[in-house]
Amino acid sequence: DSGVTQTPKHLITATGQRVTLRCSPRSGDLSVYWYQQSLDQGLQFLIQYYNGEERAKGNILERFSAQQFPDLHSELNLSSLELGDSALYFCASSGPGQGATGELFFGEGSRLTVL
Amino acid sequence: AQSVAQPEDQVNVAEGNPLTVKCTYSVSGNPYLFWYVQYPNRGLQFLLKYITGDNLVKGSYGFEAEFNKSQTSFHLKKPSALVSDSALYFCAVRDSGNNRLAFGKGNQVVVIP
């Protein structure tokens, strides 16, 4: 158990809909990362937050947005969903002061299926 | 931007034989290198990392990796593979200039009993 909690584990929805994925980092971790894993694209970095502020942005679509709240949990919002958004979405956290040398601790993921 | 390449899609190895999973990287600054393992329907688990120092890094479950700066490689190794090592293995790199961790496409390892 990594200590990172993601909900929901599975989600099935229709095209055009909006969903919210939730992540609670390990106790004490200030950084939260979001990754998308799909068969054709592999593991793609979406966005990183550090103590409530956006720190780095990757291949995140404009239809997607995220935020980190004062209690350090994070939410990834996916809107106007398309079939191609079906993927496994991972949240990860890293410890305070770790910076670039720290390993990430991953949650179990949220599997999104868009029909 | 930093990147990693894992040239093989799948690695098959007999149980008890040595296991090697290859990884090469590209960064502009000093590389920080990581290996993760993913079992079916699970999140990624950290195995080991190279930050600085000894080129041979030892990690979890008997795995080790060798950093080779001249060849820009960071191959994962295990002297004697177990059936339970069958999983998806990811190499990842971060350069010293930012926190973004870039992953390779992953290698499926199949250990044959």
Side-chain angles (χ1 to χ4, degrees):
Chain A
D1 183 4
S2 68
V4 177
T5 304
Q6 288 187 249
T7 58
K9 291 191 185 306
H10 301 277
L11 192 56
I12 302 174
T13 189
T15 55
Q17 295 298 304
R18 172 189 170 95
V19 298
T20 297
L21 309 180
R22 181 188 169 101
C23 169
S24 294
R26 292 188 319 157
S27 177
D29 284 359
L30 301 179
S31 280
V32 169
Y33 302 76
W34 286 97
Y35 282 84
Q36 178 194 58
Q37 185 179 33
S38 60
L39 284 176
D40 55 344
Q41 296 289 327
L43 203 59
Q44 296 288 315
F45 168 71
L46 295 178
I47 198 164
Q48 178 206 355
Y49 281 83
Y50 179 83
N51 203 20
E53 295 196 0
E54 183 183 304
R55 179 61 65 91
K57 197 175 245 188
N59 302 321
I60 188 166
L61 300 172
E62 285 192 10
R63 300 183 285 108
F64 296 180
S65 65
Q67 59 185 125
Q68 185 179 27
F69 294 86
D71 67 352
L72 300 178
H73 91 271
S74 179
E75 293 181 356
L76 178 67
N77 300 297
L78 315 175
S79 62
S80 303
L81 285 169
E82 302 175 359
L83 296 177
D85 298 327
S86 295
L88 196 51
Y89 291 85
F90 284 109
C91 170
S93 70
S94 64
Q98 291 281 312
T101 64
E103 60 269 29
L104 269 56
F105 295 88
F106 282 79
E108 298 283 288
S110 293
R111 183 171 294 281
L112 173 66
T113 302
V114 182
L115 300 177
Chain B
Q2 66 269 37
S3 66
V4 295
Q6 294 182 248
E8 300 160 317
D9 288 333
Q10 182 164 313
V11 175
N12 296 326
V13 61
E15 186 177 23
N17 280 4
L19 169 63
T20 298
V21 188
K22 296 180 180 177
C23 170
T24 57
Y25 66 89
S26 174
V27 296
S28 55
N30 292 322
Y32 300 142
L33 294 152
F34 303 79
W35 275 101
Y36 287 81
V37 61
Q38 184 181 26
Y39 298 99
N41 301 312
R42 303 297 299 276
L44 278 71
Q45 296 178 35
F46 169 73
L47 281 178
L48 50 80
K49 67 180 178 182
Y50 171 83
I51 304 302
T52 187
D54 194 346
N55 289 342
L56 186 63
V57 179
K58 294 191 182 297
S60 307
Y61 313 120
F63 284 94
E64 58 189 26
E66 186 167 12
F67 171 67
N68 187 317
K69 187 173 183 178
S70 63
Q71 297 186 3
T72 62
S73 68
F74 189 56
H75 301 331
L76 181 70
K77 300 179 182 182
K78 186 171 184 180
S80 178
L82 302 172
V83 172
S84 58
D85 293 328
S86 298
L88 191 56
Y89 290 81
F90 290 93
C91 181
V93 68
R94 195 194 261 140
D95 71 34
S96 54
N98 69 73
N99 288 330
R100 185 183 308 188
L101 190 60
F103 284 84
K105 63 179 176 58
N107 280 126
Q108 184 67 49
V109 169
V110 177
V111 181
I112 304 163

